[in-house]
Amino acid sequence: RFANKVSSAAHKEVMRQCKPGMMEYQLEAIFCHHVYMHGGMRLLAYSAICGSGPNSAVLHYGHGGAPNDRQMGEGDLVLNDMGGEYYCYASDITCTYPVNGKFSETQSAVYEAVLEAKDSVNSLVKPGVSWVEMHETAERIIAKHLIGMKLLKGELSDVVASGLPAVFMPHGLG
């Protein structure tokens, strides 16, 4: 719990300081400083991912070959996936938000889709409900919203049956 508490506070601090013109690695540095300064966590649980703009869509961005080195711009989203480690207890927190603090209309629509999917999946979590059922629920909700945004065409059942929603959820639920 301690690793999560300190890492959550660090994410909030990163969000407060984030602004256009900063470099992605500066967000990583703010996070690292916070978890060390306020929790004694010298290490992160894994390599920090701070992807903005097009980098926010690169799965597992932030490693040595793609080192969080883009300057963030006005209108960009940033995806931060970082967690501190405390005596081998690891935190793993991912959040996405606008660099300038304000979602565009399209960004807001995507946020609402993901929020509905998350809330629906959370309501299903209980003994006897399979991961596959939860994953398929999330895919259906994301597909429904993408159709509503006119980013996908067709009937929801056909879109889901085609497997197309997986393109928008390459990592799945976990």
Side-chain angles (χ1 to χ4, degrees):
R1 290 183 188 168
F2 181 74
N4 282 329
K5 181 179 178 181
V6 174
S7 295
S8 292
H11 272 282
K12 291 175 189 173
E13 186 59 30
V14 170
M15 191 182 294
R16 276 191 283 278
Q17 292 191 41
C18 182
K19 62 182 178 254
M22 290 178 73
M23 301 298 289
E24 294 166 337
Y25 59 75
Q26 289 177 294
L27 301 184
E28 179 181 0
I30 294 165
F31 185 88
C32 290
H33 173 75
H34 189 95
V35 296
Y36 194 13
M37 182 76 167
H38 299 282
M41 296 181 211
R42 295 184 70 196
L43 302 174
L44 298 185
Y46 49 91
S47 296
I49 299 169
C50 302
S52 67
N55 293 340
S56 65
V58 176
L59 195 57
H60 298 140
Y61 173 78
H63 53 79
N68 297 328
D69 62 357
R70 181 178 180 273
Q71 186 175 34
M72 298 179 294
E74 186 72 33
D76 283 346
L77 290 176
V78 62
L79 178 142
N80 289 320
D81 182 352
M82 300 179 281
E85 182 180 312
Y86 188 74
Y87 291 95
C88 296
Y89 287 94
S91 177
D92 185 342
I93 301 170
T94 305
C95 52
T96 303
Y97 49 86
V99 170
N100 65 8
K102 296 188 192 284
F103 284 112
S104 71
E105 189 175 318
T106 302
Q107 291 167 345
S108 182
V110 171
Y111 176 86
E112 292 299 327
V114 172
L115 181 62
E116 182 182 337
K118 178 200 69 85
D119 289 345
S120 294
V121 168
N122 283 348
S123 73
L124 292 174
V125 176
K126 62 185 170 212
V129 178
S130 72
W131 177 88
V132 171
E133 185 179 342
M134 292 185 284
H135 177 79
E136 289 173 346
T137 297
E139 280 192 333
R140 266 193 312 282
I141 292 168
I142 297 297
K144 175 186 77 172
H145 281 270
L146 293 172
I147 291 168
M149 295 171 66
K150 306 215 182 316
L151 295 172
L152 295 177
K153 294 180 183 178
E155 295 297 319
L156 179 59
S157 58
D158 295 334
V159 169
V160 171
S162 75
L164 193 54
V167 171
F168 299 93
M169 292 177 58
H171 200 287
L173 283 182

PDB file of all heavy atoms in Angstrom, residues 11 24-25 27-29 31-32 44-51 60-64 66-68 79-83:
ATOM      1  N   HIS A  11       2.368  10.835  -9.095  1.00  0.00           N
ATOM      2  CA  HIS A  11       1.629  11.079 -10.345  1.00  0.00           C
ATOM      3  C   HIS A  11       0.867  12.403 -10.277  1.00  0.00           C
ATOM      4  O   HIS A  11       0.832  13.153 -11.261  1.00  0.00           O
ATOM      5  CB  HIS A  11       0.661   9.927 -10.634  1.00  0.00           C
ATOM      6  CG  HIS A  11       1.268   8.814 -11.412  1.00  0.00           C
ATOM      7  ND1 HIS A  11       1.466   8.869 -12.774  1.00  0.00           N
ATOM      8  CD2 HIS A  11       1.735   7.602 -11.027  1.00  0.00           C
ATOM      9  CE1 HIS A  11       2.010   7.743 -13.195  1.00  0.00           C
ATOM     10  NE2 HIS A  11       2.200   6.956 -12.145  1.00  0.00           N
ATOM     11  N   GLU A  24       9.433  15.030 -22.168  1.00  0.00           N
ATOM     12  CA  GLU A  24       8.863  13.856 -21.501  1.00  0.00           C
ATOM     13  C   GLU A  24       9.730  13.410 -20.325  1.00  0.00           C
ATOM     14  O   GLU A  24       9.216  13.072 -19.257  1.00  0.00           O
ATOM     15  CB  GLU A  24       8.712  12.708 -22.502  1.00  0.00           C
ATOM     16  CG  GLU A  24       7.718  12.968 -23.598  1.00  0.00           C
ATOM     17  CD  GLU A  24       7.825  11.979 -24.743  1.00  0.00           C
ATOM     18  OE1 GLU A  24       8.910  11.359 -24.931  1.00  0.00           O
ATOM     19  OE2 GLU A  24       6.832  11.814 -25.466  1.00  0.00           O
ATOM     20  N   TYR A  25      11.040  13.436 -20.509  1.00  0.00           N
ATOM     21  CA  TYR A  25      11.923  12.969 -19.438  1.00  0.00           C
ATOM     22  C   TYR A  25      11.835  13.843 -18.198  1.00  0.00           C
ATOM     23  O   TYR A  25      12.167  13.402 -17.100  1.00  0.00           O
ATOM     24  CB  TYR A  25      13.376  12.824 -19.903  1.00  0.00           C
ATOM     25  CG  TYR A  25      14.032  14.063 -20.439  1.00  0.00           C
ATOM     26  CD1 TYR A  25      14.448  15.089 -19.604  1.00  0.00           C
ATOM     27  CD2 TYR A  25      14.267  14.200 -21.804  1.00  0.00           C
ATOM     28  CE1 TYR A  25      15.075  16.222 -20.098  1.00  0.00           C
ATOM     29  CE2 TYR A  25      14.889  15.318 -22.314  1.00  0.00           C
ATOM     30  CZ  TYR A  25      15.289  16.333 -21.457  1.00  0.00           C
ATOM     31  OH  TYR A  25      15.895  17.455 -21.955  1.00  0.00           O
ATOM     32  N   LEU A  27       9.042  14.830 -16.898  1.00  0.00           N
ATOM     33  CA  LEU A  27       7.972  14.221 -16.108  1.00  0.00           C
ATOM     34  C   LEU A  27       8.504  13.017 -15.345  1.00  0.00           C
ATOM     35  O   LEU A  27       8.185  12.814 -14.175  1.00  0.00           O
ATOM     36  CB  LEU A  27       6.803  13.814 -17.006  1.00  0.00           C
ATOM     37  CG  LEU A  27       6.142  14.932 -17.810  1.00  0.00           C
ATOM     38  CD1 LEU A  27       4.939  14.392 -18.567  1.00  0.00           C
ATOM     39  CD2 LEU A  27       5.769  16.115 -16.947  1.00  0.00           C
ATOM     40  N   GLU A  28       9.331  12.223 -16.024  1.00  0.00           N
ATOM     41  CA  GLU A  28       9.964  11.083 -15.372  1.00  0.00           C
ATOM     42  C   GLU A  28      10.813  11.552 -14.184  1.00  0.00           C
ATOM     43  O   GLU A  28      10.770  10.963 -13.100  1.00  0.00           O
ATOM     44  CB  GLU A  28      10.827  10.314 -16.371  1.00  0.00           C
ATOM     45  CG  GLU A  28      11.551   9.135 -15.794  1.00  0.00           C
ATOM     46  CD  GLU A  28      12.426   8.409 -16.813  1.00  0.00           C
ATOM     47  OE1 GLU A  28      12.495   8.810 -17.992  1.00  0.00           O
ATOM     48  OE2 GLU A  28      13.066   7.421 -16.406  1.00  0.00           O
ATOM     49  N   ALA A  29      11.550  12.627 -14.368  1.00  0.00           N
ATOM     50  CA  ALA A  29      12.415  13.140 -13.301  1.00  0.00           C
ATOM     51  C   ALA A  29      11.603  13.633 -12.100  1.00  0.00           C
ATOM     52  O   ALA A  29      11.986  13.400 -10.943  1.00  0.00           O
ATOM     53  CB  ALA A  29      13.295  14.269 -13.844  1.00  0.00           C
ATOM     54  N   PHE A  31       8.689  12.529 -11.200  1.00  0.00           N
ATOM     55  CA  PHE A  31       8.186  11.324 -10.542  1.00  0.00           C
ATOM     56  C   PHE A  31       9.279  10.680  -9.692  1.00  0.00           C
ATOM     57  O   PHE A  31       9.057  10.365  -8.513  1.00  0.00           O
ATOM     58  CB  PHE A  31       7.652  10.328 -11.578  1.00  0.00           C
ATOM     59  CG  PHE A  31       7.008   9.125 -10.967  1.00  0.00           C
ATOM     60  CD1 PHE A  31       5.666   9.131 -10.642  1.00  0.00           C
ATOM     61  CD2 PHE A  31       7.747   7.983 -10.694  1.00  0.00           C
ATOM     62  CE1 PHE A  31       5.063   8.029 -10.051  1.00  0.00           C
ATOM     63  CE2 PHE A  31       7.157   6.871 -10.108  1.00  0.00           C
ATOM     64  CZ  PHE A  31       5.808   6.898  -9.789  1.00  0.00           C
ATOM     65  N   CYS A  32      10.432  10.470 -10.296  1.00  0.00           N
ATOM     66  CA  CYS A  32      11.547   9.831  -9.573  1.00  0.00           C
ATOM     67  C   CYS A  32      11.921  10.625  -8.325  1.00  0.00           C
ATOM     68  O   CYS A  32      12.154  10.045  -7.252  1.00  0.00           O
ATOM     69  CB  CYS A  32      12.762   9.686 -10.487  1.00  0.00           C
ATOM     70  SG  CYS A  32      12.560   8.480 -11.806  1.00  0.00           S
ATOM     71  N   LEU A  44      12.533   2.528  -9.432  1.00  0.00           N
ATOM     72  CA  LEU A  44      11.183   2.369  -9.966  1.00  0.00           C
ATOM     73  C   LEU A  44      10.936   0.877 -10.170  1.00  0.00           C
ATOM     74  O   LEU A  44      11.870   0.084 -10.294  1.00  0.00           O
ATOM     75  CB  LEU A  44      11.032   3.120 -11.288  1.00  0.00           C
ATOM     76  CG  LEU A  44      11.214   4.638 -11.233  1.00  0.00           C
ATOM     77  CD1 LEU A  44      10.913   5.258 -12.589  1.00  0.00           C
ATOM     78  CD2 LEU A  44      10.347   5.267 -10.156  1.00  0.00           C
ATOM     79  N   ALA A  45       9.686   0.510 -10.226  1.00  0.00           N
ATOM     80  CA  ALA A  45       9.323  -0.892 -10.406  1.00  0.00           C
ATOM     81  C   ALA A  45       9.638  -1.374 -11.827  1.00  0.00           C
ATOM     82  O   ALA A  45       9.820  -2.570 -12.044  1.00  0.00           O
ATOM     83  CB  ALA A  45       7.843  -1.087 -10.099  1.00  0.00           C
ATOM     84  N   TYR A  46       9.721  -0.456 -12.776  1.00  0.00           N
ATOM     85  CA  TYR A  46       9.999  -0.755 -14.186  1.00  0.00           C
ATOM     86  C   TYR A  46      10.388   0.558 -14.853  1.00  0.00           C
ATOM     87  O   TYR A  46      10.253   1.628 -14.262  1.00  0.00           O
ATOM     88  CB  TYR A  46       8.770  -1.383 -14.865  1.00  0.00           C
ATOM     89  CG  TYR A  46       7.486  -0.610 -14.610  1.00  0.00           C
ATOM     90  CD1 TYR A  46       7.081   0.403 -15.470  1.00  0.00           C
ATOM     91  CD2 TYR A  46       6.712  -0.873 -13.492  1.00  0.00           C
ATOM     92  CE1 TYR A  46       5.934   1.130 -15.215  1.00  0.00           C
ATOM     93  CE2 TYR A  46       5.564  -0.158 -13.226  1.00  0.00           C
ATOM     94  CZ  TYR A  46       5.172   0.852 -14.102  1.00  0.00           C
ATOM     95  OH  TYR A  46       4.042   1.572 -13.848  1.00  0.00           O
ATOM     96  N   SER A  47      10.872   0.492 -16.076  1.00  0.00           N
ATOM     97  CA  SER A  47      11.263   1.707 -16.795  1.00  0.00           C
ATOM     98  C   SER A  47      10.052   2.614 -16.980  1.00  0.00           C
ATOM     99  O   SER A  47       8.979   2.163 -17.401  1.00  0.00           O
ATOM    100  CB  SER A  47      11.834   1.372 -18.173  1.00  0.00           C
ATOM    101  OG  SER A  47      13.019   0.631 -18.040  1.00  0.00           O
ATOM    102  N   ALA A  48      10.232   3.879 -16.664  1.00  0.00           N
ATOM    103  CA  ALA A  48       9.141   4.843 -16.762  1.00  0.00           C
ATOM    104  C   ALA A  48       8.734   5.061 -18.214  1.00  0.00           C
ATOM    105  O   ALA A  48       9.583   5.168 -19.105  1.00  0.00           O
ATOM    106  CB  ALA A  48       9.568   6.164 -16.143  1.00  0.00           C
ATOM    107  N   ILE A  49       7.426   5.129 -18.434  1.00  0.00           N
ATOM    108  CA  ILE A  49       6.873   5.450 -19.749  1.00  0.00           C
ATOM    109  C   ILE A  49       6.194   6.803 -19.632  1.00  0.00           C
ATOM    110  O   ILE A  49       5.251   6.976 -18.860  1.00  0.00           O
ATOM    111  CB  ILE A  49       5.859   4.377 -20.196  1.00  0.00           C
ATOM    112  CG1 ILE A  49       6.541   3.011 -20.306  1.00  0.00           C
ATOM    113  CG2 ILE A  49       5.195   4.782 -21.510  1.00  0.00           C
ATOM    114  CD1 ILE A  49       5.578   1.850 -20.476  1.00  0.00           C
ATOM    115  N   CYS A  50       6.701   7.788 -20.376  1.00  0.00           N
ATOM    116  CA  CYS A  50       6.113   9.124 -20.424  1.00  0.00           C
ATOM    117  C   CYS A  50       5.987   9.490 -21.898  1.00  0.00           C
ATOM    118  O   CYS A  50       6.864  10.155 -22.458  1.00  0.00           O
ATOM    119  CB  CYS A  50       6.998  10.147 -19.709  1.00  0.00           C
ATOM    120  SG  CYS A  50       7.324   9.761 -17.988  1.00  0.00           S
ATOM    121  N   GLY A  51       4.929   9.031 -22.520  1.00  0.00           N
ATOM    122  CA  GLY A  51       4.764   9.229 -23.958  1.00  0.00           C
ATOM    123  C   GLY A  51       3.754  10.318 -24.257  1.00  0.00           C
ATOM    124  O   GLY A  51       2.610  10.246 -23.810  1.00  0.00           O
ATOM    125  N   HIS A  60       4.760   0.282 -24.563  1.00  0.00           N
ATOM    126  CA  HIS A  60       6.013   0.165 -23.811  1.00  0.00           C
ATOM    127  C   HIS A  60       7.107   1.131 -24.287  1.00  0.00           C
ATOM    128  O   HIS A  60       8.286   0.844 -24.201  1.00  0.00           O
ATOM    129  CB  HIS A  60       6.517  -1.281 -23.784  1.00  0.00           C
ATOM    130  CG  HIS A  60       5.558  -2.189 -23.101  1.00  0.00           C
ATOM    131  ND1 HIS A  60       5.285  -3.444 -23.558  1.00  0.00           N
ATOM    132  CD2 HIS A  60       4.785  -2.017 -22.000  1.00  0.00           C
ATOM    133  CE1 HIS A  60       4.383  -4.008 -22.768  1.00  0.00           C
ATOM    134  NE2 HIS A  60       4.072  -3.160 -21.812  1.00  0.00           N
ATOM    135  N   TYR A  61       6.694   2.301 -24.737  1.00  0.00           N
ATOM    136  CA  TYR A  61       7.612   3.392 -25.043  1.00  0.00           C
ATOM    137  C   TYR A  61       8.375   3.759 -23.761  1.00  0.00           C
ATOM    138  O   TYR A  61       7.907   3.527 -22.666  1.00  0.00           O
ATOM    139  CB  TYR A  61       6.793   4.600 -25.537  1.00  0.00           C
ATOM    140  CG  TYR A  61       7.565   5.869 -25.732  1.00  0.00           C
ATOM    141  CD1 TYR A  61       8.348   6.054 -26.857  1.00  0.00           C
ATOM    142  CD2 TYR A  61       7.507   6.893 -24.795  1.00  0.00           C
ATOM    143  CE1 TYR A  61       9.060   7.231 -27.040  1.00  0.00           C
ATOM    144  CE2 TYR A  61       8.206   8.069 -24.972  1.00  0.00           C
ATOM    145  CZ  TYR A  61       8.988   8.228 -26.097  1.00  0.00           C
ATOM    146  OH  TYR A  61       9.690   9.392 -26.274  1.00  0.00           O
ATOM    147  N   GLY A  62       9.525   4.357 -23.890  1.00  0.00           N
ATOM    148  CA  GLY A  62      10.256   4.856 -22.730  1.00  0.00           C
ATOM    149  C   GLY A  62      11.498   4.066 -22.379  1.00  0.00           C
ATOM    150  O   GLY A  62      12.205   4.400 -21.448  1.00  0.00           O
ATOM    151  N   HIS A  63      11.807   3.033 -23.139  1.00  0.00           N
ATOM    152  CA  HIS A  63      13.006   2.226 -22.886  1.00  0.00           C
ATOM    153  C   HIS A  63      14.229   2.904 -23.507  1.00  0.00           C
ATOM    154  O   HIS A  63      14.113   3.995 -24.083  1.00  0.00           O
ATOM    155  CB  HIS A  63      12.815   0.810 -23.457  1.00  0.00           C
ATOM    156  CG  HIS A  63      12.411   0.800 -24.891  1.00  0.00           C
ATOM    157  ND1 HIS A  63      13.294   0.986 -25.916  1.00  0.00           N
ATOM    158  CD2 HIS A  63      11.195   0.661 -25.457  1.00  0.00           C
ATOM    159  CE1 HIS A  63      12.653   0.953 -27.064  1.00  0.00           C
ATOM    160  NE2 HIS A  63      11.374   0.759 -26.818  1.00  0.00           N
ATOM    161  N   GLY A  64      15.372   2.283 -23.416  1.00  0.00           N
ATOM    162  CA  GLY A  64      16.611   2.872 -23.910  1.00  0.00           C
ATOM    163  C   GLY A  64      16.579   3.271 -25.373  1.00  0.00           C
ATOM    164  O   GLY A  64      17.194   4.252 -25.775  1.00  0.00           O
ATOM    165  N   ALA A  66      13.909   4.323 -26.982  1.00  0.00           N
ATOM    166  CA  ALA A  66      12.929   5.409 -27.117  1.00  0.00           C
ATOM    167  C   ALA A  66      12.797   6.057 -25.739  1.00  0.00           C
ATOM    168  O   ALA A  66      11.862   5.794 -24.999  1.00  0.00           O
ATOM    169  CB  ALA A  66      11.595   4.848 -27.600  1.00  0.00           C
ATOM    170  N   PRO A  67      13.764   6.899 -25.383  1.00  0.00           N
ATOM    171  CA  PRO A  67      13.944   7.309 -23.981  1.00  0.00           C
ATOM    172  C   PRO A  67      13.158   8.531 -23.481  1.00  0.00           C
ATOM    173  O   PRO A  67      13.725   9.420 -22.858  1.00  0.00           O
ATOM    174  CB  PRO A  67      15.440   7.579 -23.928  1.00  0.00           C
ATOM    175  CG  PRO A  67      15.767   8.080 -25.298  1.00  0.00           C
ATOM    176  CD  PRO A  67      14.857   7.319 -26.231  1.00  0.00           C
ATOM    177  N   ASN A  68      11.861   8.602 -23.709  1.00  0.00           N
ATOM    178  CA  ASN A  68      11.077   9.726 -23.177  1.00  0.00           C
ATOM    179  C   ASN A  68      11.720  11.068 -23.542  1.00  0.00           C
ATOM    180  O   ASN A  68      11.930  11.924 -22.683  1.00  0.00           O
ATOM    181  CB  ASN A  68      10.940   9.619 -21.642  1.00  0.00           C
ATOM    182  CG  ASN A  68      10.191   8.403 -21.190  1.00  0.00           C
ATOM    183  OD1 ASN A  68       9.291   7.928 -21.867  1.00  0.00           O
ATOM    184  ND2 ASN A  68      10.554   7.878 -20.035  1.00  0.00           N
ATOM    185  N   LEU A  79       0.743  10.042 -21.822  1.00  0.00           N
ATOM    186  CA  LEU A  79       0.472   8.803 -21.100  1.00  0.00           C
ATOM    187  C   LEU A  79       1.666   8.549 -20.198  1.00  0.00           C
ATOM    188  O   LEU A  79       2.788   8.436 -20.677  1.00  0.00           O
ATOM    189  CB  LEU A  79       0.280   7.635 -22.065  1.00  0.00           C
ATOM    190  CG  LEU A  79       0.026   6.286 -21.390  1.00  0.00           C
ATOM    191  CD1 LEU A  79      -0.983   5.490 -22.187  1.00  0.00           C
ATOM    192  CD2 LEU A  79       1.303   5.498 -21.191  1.00  0.00           C
ATOM    193  N   ASN A  80       1.410   8.519 -18.900  1.00  0.00           N
ATOM    194  CA  ASN A  80       2.459   8.217 -17.922  1.00  0.00           C
ATOM    195  C   ASN A  80       2.167   6.873 -17.286  1.00  0.00           C
ATOM    196  O   ASN A  80       1.081   6.654 -16.746  1.00  0.00           O
ATOM    197  CB  ASN A  80       2.529   9.296 -16.837  1.00  0.00           C
ATOM    198  CG  ASN A  80       3.076  10.587 -17.366  1.00  0.00           C
ATOM    199  OD1 ASN A  80       4.003  10.584 -18.160  1.00  0.00           O
ATOM    200  ND2 ASN A  80       2.524  11.696 -16.927  1.00  0.00           N
ATOM    201  N   ASP A  81       3.131   5.984 -17.358  1.00  0.00           N
ATOM    202  CA  ASP A  81       3.039   4.659 -16.742  1.00  0.00           C
ATOM    203  C   ASP A  81       4.298   4.518 -15.892  1.00  0.00           C
ATOM    204  O   ASP A  81       5.380   4.257 -16.408  1.00  0.00           O
ATOM    205  CB  ASP A  81       2.961   3.586 -17.826  1.00  0.00           C
ATOM    206  CG  ASP A  81       2.814   2.174 -17.281  1.00  0.00           C
ATOM    207  OD1 ASP A  81       2.912   1.981 -16.053  1.00  0.00           O
ATOM    208  OD2 ASP A  81       2.612   1.256 -18.097  1.00  0.00           O
ATOM    209  N   MET A  82       4.148   4.755 -14.594  1.00  0.00           N
ATOM    210  CA  MET A  82       5.292   4.753 -13.687  1.00  0.00           C
ATOM    211  C   MET A  82       4.851   4.230 -12.328  1.00  0.00           C
ATOM    212  O   MET A  82       3.711   4.439 -11.925  1.00  0.00           O
ATOM    213  CB  MET A  82       5.852   6.166 -13.514  1.00  0.00           C
ATOM    214  CG  MET A  82       6.328   6.812 -14.800  1.00  0.00           C
ATOM    215  SD  MET A  82       6.960   8.487 -14.579  1.00  0.00           S
ATOM    216  CE  MET A  82       5.444   9.447 -14.463  1.00  0.00           C
ATOM    217  N   GLY A  83       5.769   3.596 -11.635  1.00  0.00           N
ATOM    218  CA  GLY A  83       5.487   3.128 -10.287  1.00  0.00           C
ATOM    219  C   GLY A  83       6.770   2.978  -9.496  1.00  0.00           C
ATOM    220  O   GLY A  83       7.779   2.517 -10.021  1.00  0.00           O
TER     221      GLY A  83
END
